[in-house]
Amino acid sequence: MRARGRVGDPLPCPYTSLERMRAFARRGQISLSAGASGGGKTAFWSNWALNARYDGDYPIPTLYFSSDSDQHTVGIRIAQAVLGCTQDEAEERLEDSWDLFHEATEHTWWDFKVGPTLDHFDAEIETYSLVHGQYPSLIVIDNLMDCDAGYGADEGANQREALLWGSSKARETNAHIAFLHHVTGPNVNGNYPIGKDGLMNKVDKRPRLILTFHQTDPGLLNVSVVKNSTGPARSDGGWFTSIPWLPERSWFGG
């Protein structure tokens, strides 16, 4: 334990109710966040990277791999969150000035390669460390389905190998690596709690923390803790917190 360094230290979190559930994103570990398409995964982690602060002042150094969404889509979502406005308003205001956007996101390094390989992840992480003199504290991989681990059309093998790589890389860099993932069957509607059995290809073994997302009421994103190696969880998704969320403005409450 004395030799562990920063492994296991929790990253700051902008969601106080999730912290009360002891669902921490810890250094040196990987997590998996799963939900329906458009169900809030990207918004949830973008907001985490954007608004979590060390000591209330210092944002988390972040490397965000966005193979699932292009520059325009992500840029507008982030601009909405920063400016607190609709998509049309964000596009109009960005035409006048990018200063506020750059100031809010300068701690985040973005990569938009489609179908990234594990070698690409390695190269980008090392490049980040060379430029910044340190590894990122948070690495987001959006999403697991797009990772190419060299197993061709075998989707499950690609995903399991990517998670194995992530476990090793998290320990090597002391970063927390958050993988975003899809769900299967009736869970794709995203309107009731999703358990571990709803994960695409049942890739629940390696992550130390698994969160799933669903919505039952407008204005709220329900986040279930279905696996938690250092805290309570319910594998059926029945233990969750409801976080205020206005997707049309990319806004989250605490």
Side-chain angles (χ1 to χ4, degrees), residues 8-29:
D9 289 351
L11 295 180
C13 176
Y15 310 110
T16 55
S17 60
L18 204 59
E19 285 193 311
R20 286 195 294 268
M21 298 170 78
R22 298 191 57 77
F24 299 117
R26 296 181 181 274
R27 284 177 171 271
Q29 298 181 3

Side-chain angles (χ1 to χ4, degrees), residues 129-142:
S129 71
L130 288 172
V131 172
H132 294 279
Q134 64 178 359
Y135 287 114
S137 300
L138 173 64
I139 299 171
V140 181
I141 296 181
D142 186 1

Side-chain angles (χ1 to χ4, degrees), residues 12-252:
C13 176
Y15 310 110
T16 55
S17 60
L18 204 59
E19 285 193 311
R20 286 195 294 268
M21 298 170 78
R22 298 191 57 77
F24 299 117
R26 296 181 181 274
R27 284 177 171 271
Q29 298 181 3
I30 68 171
S31 64
L32 191 71
S33 297
S37 295
K41 302 183 297 294
T42 299
F44 175 87
W45 277 103
S46 297
N47 181 69
W48 193 317
L50 191 66
N51 292 307
R53 295 286 190 274
Y54 290 105
D55 301 323
D57 292 320
Y58 305 103
I60 303 173
T62 300
L63 173 54
Y64 200 115
F65 291 96
S66 180
S67 59
D68 195 43
S69 299
D70 58 42
Q71 291 96 321
H72 177 264
T73 302
V74 172
I76 290 299
R77 286 175 181 169
I78 297 297
Q80 286 180 255
V82 172
L83 301 171
C85 61
T86 65
Q87 178 175 334
D88 290 341
E89 292 170 338
E91 292 192 80
E92 182 177 342
R93 292 177 66 177
L94 286 177
E95 289 180 359
D96 297 329
S97 174
W98 286 89
D99 292 345
L100 184 62
F101 179 85
H102 285 307
E103 182 179 347
T105 61
E106 62 183 357
H107 64 284
T108 304
W109 177 303
W110 298 89
D111 180 281
F112 293 96
K113 183 175 178 59
V114 176
T117 64
L118 303 187
D119 286 342
H120 176 78
F121 289 140
D122 283 331
E124 197 73 2
I125 292 169
E126 290 305 316
T127 301
Y128 179 103
S129 71
L130 288 172
V131 172
H132 294 279
Q134 64 178 359
Y135 287 114
S137 300
L138 173 64
I139 299 171
V140 181
I141 296 181
D142 186 1
N143 61 56
L144 182 60
M145 188 175 71
D146 294 334
C147 298
D148 178 7
Y151 282 83
D154 191 333
E155 191 175 74
N158 271 303
Q159 293 171 8
R160 287 186 289 273
E161 186 68 16
L163 291 172
L164 177 62
W165 165 87
S167 296
S168 175
K169 186 59 65 173
R171 295 185 192 184
E172 176 188 334
T173 61
N174 278 326
H176 178 82
I177 302 183
F179 288 88
L180 279 58
H181 194 38
H182 292 289
V183 293
T184 59
N187 301 289
V188 298
N189 295 320
N191 57 359
Y192 61 86
I194 301 170
K196 283 197 295 185
D197 58 356
L199 300 176
M200 177 182 286
N201 293 314
K202 306 296 188 290
V203 288
D204 60 300
K205 299 297 187 292
R206 295 198 177 278
R208 299 297 90 201
L209 174 71
I210 298 179
L211 306 175
T212 62
F213 303 86
H214 72 281
Q215 282 187 280
T216 53
D217 300 298
L220 293 173
L221 179 65
N222 300 317
V223 182
S224 298
V225 183
V226 302
K227 181 179 178 180
N228 188 1
S229 295
T230 54
R234 274 185 56 176
S235 61
D236 64 357
W239 194 51
F240 60 86
T241 182
S242 298
I243 299 174
W245 179 41
L246 299 179
E248 67 275 9
R249 290 183 176 269
S250 292
W251 174 86
F252 280 92

